[in-house]
Each structure stands twice: as C-alpha cells, then as structure tokens.
Amino acid sequence: MLRFPFIIATLAILLSACTTTPAGVSGGGETSRIYQIDRRDTAEIQFRMLDGVNALRSASGRAPLELDANLNAAAATHSRDMAVQNRPWHFGSDGSSPIDRARRVGYQGQLLGENISETYETELETLAAWMELRETRDVVLAPDARKMGFAWFQEDGGKIWWTLVTGT
C-alpha cells in the first residue's frame, strides 16, 4: 500500500520539472493558464511520459517500456479521430478498435491496452489520473508490456485528446 503514495510523489516531482509554454487566457475577470503544446515539443513530451511511465513501472517491479513508432502513429491517429468525433472512446469513427489501428500501422506485437483522455491537463497530470483507476493503471503497469505508443491532438481552444497504448 505504501507504493502508491511513493508513485504519486514521484509523479509530482516529475511534473514539477516540466517546462511548458502556457498561454494566458482571460475569463471571468481571472487569468487561467492553458497547457499549450508546440509541435516542436513532441519528442520532449513523449519522452517525459515514457520516463513517468517507466518510473511507475520500476516502483511496481515491472520492466521498462520503450517508445514504438508504429504505436505512436496508432495513438496519434486515434487522438485526432476522437477530437473529430468530439468524444473520448476506444472505437474509431470507422468502427476500428485499438487492435485494428495498431495493425493498420504495421505493429507486429500484441496490443495489450489503450488509455484515452479528453482534458486540458498536462501529460503527467493525465498519467496521474490514469493511475487512480484500476483499469487504466493496469494498461500502464501491464506485466507483459515492452512497447508504448503515446500521442495527442490539441484543439485550438486548448482541449487535448491523449492516447497511450501498450504492447508486447
């Protein structure tokens, strides 16, 4: 039971190290900050998520994951498709499943799971939220997982559609 407070503390430390370029937005007389992602930050964000996932996996005695270009492509396709559909769910607008999308991009391993989110939060805040639910935590900590794909689509208004997939 002491592992999860350690995991959350680790995520908090990782999150505090994040550097982003938030944009100020006025609303209701108060200024709020939007996590604005620049296209040039893609690799940095993907590796920050990978580091966060691997820190959690290490704390749970799991092998580390490595990013897989095909799984990244499948995740990117689904993030954009969820934004087009304006709903977070695991099926594509064409009826495709996470397994279908992985196969379409040439992934040869077994797809183990997919986490999705519709939020204005950062990638590490999203990871922390996924760790709070058993179903999404199981995707991150899947014992057989060795590969990870991670991508997002950000709308003009700031909403981010995150997708993380794991495979063998």
Side-chain angles (χ1 to χ4, degrees):
M1 269 328 219
L2 293 176
R3 278 191 211 175
F4 286 110
F6 172 73
I7 291 169
I8 297 302
T10 301
L11 276 176
I13 291 168
L14 287 171
L15 183 59
S16 69
C18 295
T19 58
T20 61
T21 310
V25 176
S26 296
E30 195 176 293
T31 300
S32 59
R33 293 171 95 63
I34 294 177
Y35 183 61
Q36 192 64 44
I37 300 173
D38 189 295
R39 294 184 77 129
R40 295 172 291 185
D41 295 333
T42 297
E44 181 181 331
I45 291 170
Q46 285 178 320
F47 282 108
R48 196 162 44 230
M49 177 60 92
L50 180 66
D51 289 345
V53 165
N54 282 336
L56 293 165
R57 289 180 62 83
S58 176
S60 296
R62 304 285 196 270
L65 302 182
E66 60 183 45
L67 285 174
D68 182 272
N70 290 332
L71 290 179
N72 286 342
T77 297
H78 192 54
S79 292
R80 180 176 288 279
D81 191 47
M82 286 190 297
V84 168
Q85 296 181 72
N86 196 32
R87 64 178 169 178
W89 74 323
H90 293 283
F91 293 95
S93 57
D94 61 356
S96 63
S97 71
I99 294 169
D100 296 331
R101 290 187 295 275
R103 292 288 173 248
R104 284 181 190 163
V105 296
Y107 184 67
Q108 298 296 314
Q110 177 186 0
L111 189 75
L112 297 174
E114 178 182 75
N115 286 346
I116 57 174
S117 180
E118 164 197 23
T119 185
Y120 290 88
E121 295 178 322
T122 69
E123 64 280 358
L124 294 180
E125 289 170 316
T126 301
L127 177 58
W130 285 335
M131 293 304 290
E132 292 177 11
L133 298 172
R134 185 187 58 79
E135 294 84 5
T136 51
R137 183 174 55 244
D138 287 351
V139 172
V140 172
L141 300 178
D144 295 338
R146 296 298 178 266
K147 306 285 183 178
M148 182 181 99
F150 179 67
W152 63 90
F153 178 80
Q154 186 166 35
E155 296 177 358
D156 291 339
K159 183 189 292 184
I160 307 169
W161 301 84
W162 301 104
T163 305
L164 179 144
V165 290
T166 58
T168 59

